[in-house]
Amino acid sequence: MILRDGAIALRPIKLRDQREWREVNRRNRDWLRPWEATVPPPGPGGPVARRPTYRQMVRHLRSEANAGRMLPFAIEYEGRLVGQLTVAGITWGSMCSGHIGYWVDQDVAGRGVMPTAVALAVDHCFRSVGLHRIEVCIRPENGPSRRVVEKLGFREEGLRPRYLHIDGAWRDHLIFALTAEEVPDGLLRRWHQARPGTPR
């Protein structure tokens, strides 16, 4: 399954993406480090957790996808891998919710890649998967990521103190959300209508 809008596409992440994924991630190490999840130190007597290898990460993502708890995507721009987007924490029953996390190559930042990728993912979640609510959790200091959800019209719902372990410490996160009722014509359509220079 490939979700596409012009030069931007979401597709399942693969084991054979390892070389390209590692290269993009390596080039962007300093840019991504302040926003990337880290493994907290173990509690008393607890095991020492280590960051997974690429292959372990992809196998975990596939396993969670097969269980219906996650949708892991590679982001492509003009045919090359430029980042990753994952819909995680998918909950069914009376909630039908999930949350989106993402990163993108700094070389393509500012070209509308990430807002388009998020819009594609949200529309897929609402229209094809059957979710009702999508959240994005962002550190207050992460201006570029906040601009993504602001451009797309996500609602800011508040602060979750010390929500995730990021860059070596427990960090506060702002919560942004959308429900299916808020984008009846699709988030991608709304994004196209809102972009500067787009006819309305």
Side-chain angles (χ1 to χ4, degrees):
M1 171 195 59
I2 298 176
L3 310 175
R4 185 182 301 280
D5 183 63
I8 299 156
L10 294 180
R11 61 159 176 82
I13 194 164
K14 302 170 184 174
L15 286 171
R16 68 172 175 262
D17 292 323
Q18 179 171 345
R19 184 188 58 77
E20 197 172 5
W21 186 96
R22 282 184 181 279
E23 170 57 23
V24 175
N25 203 266
R26 182 195 61 75
R27 280 192 291 103
N28 287 273
R29 180 86 337 251
D30 290 341
W31 194 55
L32 296 174
R33 185 177 291 115
W35 321 118
E36 283 196 330
T38 45
V39 179
V48 176
R50 286 178 168 64
R51 192 176 180 90
T53 65
Y54 177 84
R55 296 179 72 82
Q56 288 170 336
M57 176 192 74
V58 172
R59 287 187 176 123
H60 170 72
L61 293 174
R62 280 185 178 173
S63 174
E64 290 294 288
N66 289 336
R69 293 187 291 261
M70 192 175 282
L71 296 169
F73 294 105
I75 304 169
E76 289 187 347
Y77 178 65
E78 296 181 343
R80 64 186 178 94
L81 191 150
V82 295
Q84 186 175 344
L85 181 150
T86 304
V87 185
I90 294 176
T91 304
W92 298 102
S94 57
M95 184 171 278
C96 293
S97 176
H99 58 262
I100 289 178
Y102 49 78
W103 63 267
V104 72
D105 189 339
Q106 189 175 13
D107 285 351
V108 301
R111 300 187 198 181
V113 173
M114 193 50 73
T116 301
V118 171
L120 284 166
V122 168
D123 284 351
H124 178 66
C125 287
F126 287 165
R127 294 176 167 183
S128 301
V129 178
L131 296 183
H132 173 252
R133 173 185 167 91
I134 293 290
E135 291 185 356
V136 182
C137 307
I138 301 170
R139 285 186 61 185
E141 306 89 347
N142 190 344
S145 196
R146 289 180 66 175
R147 282 192 290 278
V148 169
V149 293
E150 288 162 1
K151 288 175 182 177
L152 292 172
F154 275 73
R155 267 181 298 102
E156 184 176 333
E157 292 192 332
L159 184 75
R160 290 185 183 163
R162 297 171 296 284
Y163 178 64
L164 285 174
H165 202 270
I166 303 283
D167 193 28
W170 294 104
R171 310 288 185 176
D172 297 349
H173 279 65
L174 290 168
I175 308 305
F176 298 84
L178 268 182
T179 60
E181 293 89 347
E182 293 173 89
V183 283
D185 297 322
L187 186 56
L188 186 64
R189 181 175 179 181
R190 184 163 86 179
W191 164 232
H192 283 314
Q193 291 173 340
R195 290 188 80 170
T198 302
R200 299 190 185 198

